[in-house]
């Protein structure tokens, strides 16, 4: 039987095309992160005696980095060192893919109120008004509407099929709904792994920056002999703390957003399961 996969090819193509491609987006975000570090955080205006700094970035000036003293918060972040652009990239990646997931999941829920849609479909199924239920799916659209429509289309086809017994029809109906759900799930879960990974990796990379800063601090403490270089010592400690703050902040945001979107996906899946159960119960009652 192929009645339950009438638009499978179109759905598969749609899933492959949906969402952002990390292989393309992340390198672009990295370049943006480096540009922010060099030209925004490293702008001479963020540092004391800006007129002594040549070019549009501290990184391209002729002044020794030890003599550069930040006078704004952006300049302080710049002093976090080479790990900072990586952490900025992580933060921008979390923001970009969170916006993308929000848009995708919003579209997956459909154009109308999802709770009202579920109530309406279940009411129509209880009255065996399948054609009206299909019209509701066309109005709702989205992943939930697509799965329900596929189930209802198979429902109508099986109701007219005289070659299968009731048990076989129930198996075919359940299989059609499962296949439709399986086709929709990759779109819902795509790029979620990025948020999950950054929730952990951001902290580890920040820890690397922290260790580098502390190494510089202790080197300044030891190289000065009996009189430690207080400026170099404080610079190393501040670099360590800046990396720690950026990493913890990025990780916290990534974890919160990952859990939020996971709960959204679970909610959509629950709605699909709820209507699927109603479809099967209605079919068993009226056929």
């Amino acid at each position: 039987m192929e009645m339950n996969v009438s638009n499978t090819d179109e759905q598969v193509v749609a899933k492959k095309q949906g969402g952002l491609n990390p292989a393309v987006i992340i390198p672009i975000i990295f370049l943006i992160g480096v540009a922010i570090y060099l030209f925004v955080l490293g702008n001479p205006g963020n540092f004391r005696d800006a007129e002594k700094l040549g070019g549009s970035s501290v990184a391209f000036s002729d002044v020794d980095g030890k003599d550069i003293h930040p006078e704004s918060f952006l300049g302080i972040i710049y002093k976090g060192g080479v790990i900072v652009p990586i952490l900025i990239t992580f933060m921008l990646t979390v923001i970009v893919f969170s916006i993308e997931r929000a848009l995708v999941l919003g579209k997956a829920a459909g154009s109308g109120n999802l709770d009202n849609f579920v109530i309406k479909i279940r009411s129509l199924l209880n009255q065996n008004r399948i054609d009206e239920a299909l019209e509701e799916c066309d109005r709702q659209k989205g992943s939930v509407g697509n799965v329900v429509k596929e189930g209802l289309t198979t429902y109508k086809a099986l109701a007219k099929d005289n070659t299968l017994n009731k048990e076989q029809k129930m198996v075919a109906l359940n299989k059609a709904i499962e296949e439709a759900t399986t086709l929709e799930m990759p779109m819902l879960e795509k790029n979620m792994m990025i948020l999950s990974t950054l929730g952990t990796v951001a902290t580890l990379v920040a820890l690397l920056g922290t260790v580098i800063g502390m190494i510089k601090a202790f080197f300044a403490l030891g190289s000065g002999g009996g009189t430690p270089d207080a400026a170099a010592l404080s610079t190393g400690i501040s670099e360590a703390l800046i990396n720690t703050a950026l990493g913890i902040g990025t990780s916290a945001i990534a974890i919160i957003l990952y859990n939020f979107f996971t709960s959204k996906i679970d909610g959509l899946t629950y709605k699909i399961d709820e209507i699927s159960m109603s479809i099967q119960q209605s079919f068993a009652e009226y056929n």
Side-chain angles (χ1 to χ4, degrees):
M1 291 183 61
E2 298 181 356
M3 61 187 69
N4 60 320
V5 290
S6 57
N7 60 348
T8 297
D9 293 339
E10 290 82 356
Q11 288 181 332
V12 171
V13 172
K15 300 309 167 290
K16 290 181 179 179
Q17 295 176 344
L20 298 177
N21 185 353
V24 175
I25 298 300
I26 292 179
I28 294 175
I29 294 176
F30 174 71
L31 294 177
I32 294 173
V34 172
I36 291 174
Y37 176 74
L38 292 177
F39 301 108
V40 178
L41 303 182
N43 190 297
N46 297 323
F47 299 87
R48 192 180 308 164
D49 299 327
E51 65 277 0
K52 296 180 181 179
L53 303 176
S56 59
S57 170
V58 172
F60 304 122
S61 68
D62 297 327
V63 180
D64 188 352
K66 293 182 180 180
D67 299 326
I68 300 175
H69 301 286
E71 61 177 13
S72 70
F73 185 70
L74 295 179
I76 293 174
I77 297 177
Y78 177 86
K79 296 292 286 184
V82 295
I83 301 297
V84 170
I86 298 176
L87 294 175
I88 292 175
T89 300
F90 288 170
M91 176 63 77
L92 293 176
T93 301
V94 169
I95 294 173
V96 169
F97 283 99
S98 295
I99 294 174
E100 182 248 9
R101 285 296 88 197
L103 294 175
V104 169
L105 294 180
K107 184 178 180 180
S111 57
N113 184 279
L114 193 55
D115 291 329
N116 292 339
F117 172 71
V118 172
I119 294 173
K120 183 68 173 179
I121 292 295
R122 295 188 66 181
S123 175
L124 292 173
L125 286 172
N126 290 335
Q127 303 171 52
N128 198 32
R129 295 156 62 183
I130 306 303
D131 290 331
E132 294 181 38
L134 283 169
E135 293 175 0
E136 286 293 328
C137 292
D138 290 334
R139 283 191 288 269
Q140 180 69 20
K141 300 180 182 179
S143 295
V144 178
N146 291 340
V147 173
V148 176
K149 182 178 181 179
E150 188 67 19
L152 292 174
T153 301
T154 305
Y155 182 115
K156 287 186 63 177
L158 288 172
K160 299 175 183 179
D161 193 312
N162 297 320
T163 63
L164 302 176
N165 58 39
K166 186 172 183 177
E167 182 178 350
Q168 290 173 324
K169 291 181 178 180
M170 291 296 296
V171 171
L173 178 60
N174 182 60
K175 180 180 179 182
I177 296 172
E178 288 182 351
E179 288 179 350
T181 303
T182 301
L183 287 172
E184 293 290 339
M185 289 307 295
M187 183 188 71
L188 300 180
E189 297 177 345
K190 183 178 180 180
N191 295 330
M192 287 293 292
M193 184 59 67
I194 293 175
L195 297 179
S196 175
T197 301
L198 290 180
T200 302
V201 173
T203 304
L204 296 178
V205 173
L207 180 61
L208 174 62
T210 302
V211 171
I212 292 174
M214 294 307 296
I215 290 174
K216 291 181 179 179
F218 281 105
F219 179 79
L221 187 63
S223 62
T227 308
D229 188 341
L233 178 62
S234 62
T235 298
I237 295 175
S238 65
E239 178 177 335
L241 295 177
I242 289 167
N243 283 282
T244 301
L246 288 176
I248 291 177
T250 301
S251 179
I253 293 173
I255 292 172
I256 291 172
L257 291 173
Y258 174 80
N259 289 331
F260 173 76
F261 292 128
T262 298
S263 67
K264 285 287 188 181
I265 295 172
D266 291 342
L268 292 175
T269 305
Y270 174 77
K271 299 297 184 185
I272 292 174
D273 292 341
E274 186 178 359
I275 299 180
S276 299
M277 183 66 67
S278 297
I279 292 175
Q280 295 178 53
Q281 290 174 347
S282 175
F283 187 87
E285 180 178 353
Y286 292 103
N287 297 278

